[in-house]
Amino acid sequence: MIKILTSFSLSRIIHKPIVWGMPITYSVEPTNFCNLKCPECPSGTGELTRQLGFLSVGDFKKIIDEISQTGFYVQLFFQGEPYLNKKLGEMIEYTQRKNIYVSVSTNGNLISARNIDKLMEHAPDKIIFSLDGLDEESYQNYRVGGTFKQADEALQLLVNAKKKLNLKKPFVELQFIVMKQNEHLLNEVRTYGKKRFVDRLVFKSMQISSYKNALKYLPTKSNHSRYILKNGNYEIKGALKDHCFALWRTAVITWDNKMVPCCFDKDANYVFGNLSEYSVREIWQSELYQLFRLGVLKNRKGNSLCNNCTEGLKVNIFQMKN
């Protein structure tokens, strides 16, 4: 961590990328398939042009073996619904065996009484449970293909099983994306989170990809939105500075072993290398990666990938501990 922080600070000063050390956090994609069709998610809308598939256990273990000495946090999520990968439990167990903290982000619609025991046998250290409504109308407005009833029952099952087994994990984070259709529910969501005994409630500002969807989904209260609308367009609040700590801190790996710059490269348009040919370290320190970092240090706004990014801006989440 000291190497990463020091080299990032020096890079900001001299405007040239210096990278010492390896990533300390990783986002690894179990699958880019999804069971829902959320209108601002390229997995759900079918807009991903890259191939769909599932990460194999063998490939995953190879990644974990390489990063276990330097990484301390792995998020088993990028695009798609992680629990569609039938080997997710084995991946969680192997990661924890290497003393790495592991989290999973889920819409919860695949969790049921039939599989809750198996899920708890291989429970992640943290589970991010996305719930963007408190009834069928507000929920299905965005979580298309799912139901509030199923998601609510899944959250209850999860919390009850944790309590029954007297387990400290998973740490349950309830995530609520704030949009026009549900912003009136925030106080009710706080009450709901307390009744469900979640460990943390996080309100997340919504990401949009078009002016049309901005008009349809963005909250009416400006403090709930990460964007400013003007002249028929939208832009992120705050100034994008010419640096990005994520490019020094975190590696993102797709289900088919490709390393991409960050979580905003959802369609893997910037592939720096494939782990079937190179190691994580080789790709992390490659010329392609360094050229991308250099571009951000010189002119972050000039990279279209960065124009919808919240890294370094305080417009992404606002949270309350229960």
Side-chain angles (χ1 to χ4, degrees), residues 27 37 42 71 103 115 143 160 187 207 220 231 239 266 279 307:
S27 180
K37 298 184 182 299
S103 72
N115 59 26
R143 297 286 169 179
N160 290 344
N187 286 330
Q207 177 186 333
T220 57
N231 301 324
K266 304 176 190 301
S279 67
N307 290 332

Side-chain angles (χ1 to χ4, degrees), residues 71-295:
F72 69 85
Y73 178 89
V74 169
Q75 176 178 269
L76 278 168
F77 172 74
F78 178 26
Q79 297 299 296
E81 166 55 47
Y83 280 104
L84 282 171
N85 191 319
K86 303 301 183 183
K87 300 295 184 179
L88 188 70
E90 189 174 342
M91 294 177 187
I92 291 170
E93 181 183 21
Y94 193 79
T95 307
Q96 292 171 333
R97 200 186 307 163
K98 298 287 185 175
N99 295 316
I100 299 175
Y101 189 92
V102 58
S103 72
V104 172
S105 181
T106 179
N107 59 52
N109 278 260
L110 297 177
I111 299 173
S112 67
R114 298 189 303 273
N115 59 26
I116 188 64
D117 290 339
K118 184 177 181 181
L119 185 151
M120 296 305 295
E121 285 177 12
H122 305 293
D125 297 286
K126 175 181 176 181
I127 190 163
I128 301 170
F129 198 101
S130 296
L131 188 81
D132 308 317
L134 288 182
D135 52 48
E136 295 302 343
E137 182 179 0
S138 59
Y139 182 85
Q140 294 184 36
N141 173 71
Y142 187 72
R143 297 286 169 179
V144 179
T147 67
F148 173 75
K149 181 177 183 294
Q150 175 60 42
D152 178 48
E153 289 177 354
L155 181 58
Q156 290 183 70
L157 283 168
L158 180 64
V159 173
N160 290 344
K162 178 182 172 183
K163 184 177 181 180
K164 179 182 178 181
L165 297 170
N166 195 27
L167 297 175
K168 292 184 178 180
K169 65 179 184 181
F171 182 91
V172 180
E173 178 177 297
L174 179 62
Q175 180 177 282
F176 193 89
I177 300 177
V178 182
M179 59 191 81
K180 184 184 296 183
Q181 292 83 352
N182 66 20
E183 63 180 328
H184 64 287
L185 296 172
L186 300 194
N187 286 330
E188 293 179 44
V189 175
R190 290 186 175 97
T191 302
Y192 173 85
K194 291 177 181 178
K195 287 183 177 179
R196 291 293 179 266
F197 298 100
V198 299
D199 297 297
R200 178 182 294 152
L201 168 62
V202 173
F203 292 117
K204 186 174 181 181
S205 61
M206 186 174 188
Q207 177 186 333
I208 52 94
S209 59
S210 70
Y211 186 70
K212 178 182 177 182
N213 277 354
L215 294 177
K216 184 176 181 179
Y217 292 108
L218 288 187
T220 57
K221 293 184 178 180
S222 61
N223 62 318
H224 293 162
S225 176
R226 67 176 70 171
Y227 300 98
I228 297 173
L229 299 183
K230 61 180 181 180
N231 301 324
N233 207 341
Y234 63 96
E235 61 181 45
I236 289 277
K237 292 178 180 177
L240 283 180
K241 297 181 179 179
D242 291 333
H243 57 77
C244 178
F245 188 40
L247 296 176
W248 274 256
R249 178 194 69 227
T250 306
V252 178
I253 302 171
T254 65
W255 72 268
D256 51 353
N257 293 305
K258 296 173 182 175
M259 276 183 65
V260 298
C262 68
C263 62
F264 280 88
D265 190 9
K266 304 176 190 301
D267 212 15
N269 292 313
Y270 298 85
V271 178
F272 299 137
N274 195 303
L275 294 173
S276 62
E277 302 175 48
Y278 304 98
S279 67
V280 173
R281 182 179 296 275
E282 286 172 328
I283 298 174
W284 183 247
Q285 298 174 344
S286 67
E287 182 179 357
L288 276 177
Y289 226 132
Q290 289 293 73
L291 285 173
F292 189 91
R293 294 185 180 107
L294 177 62

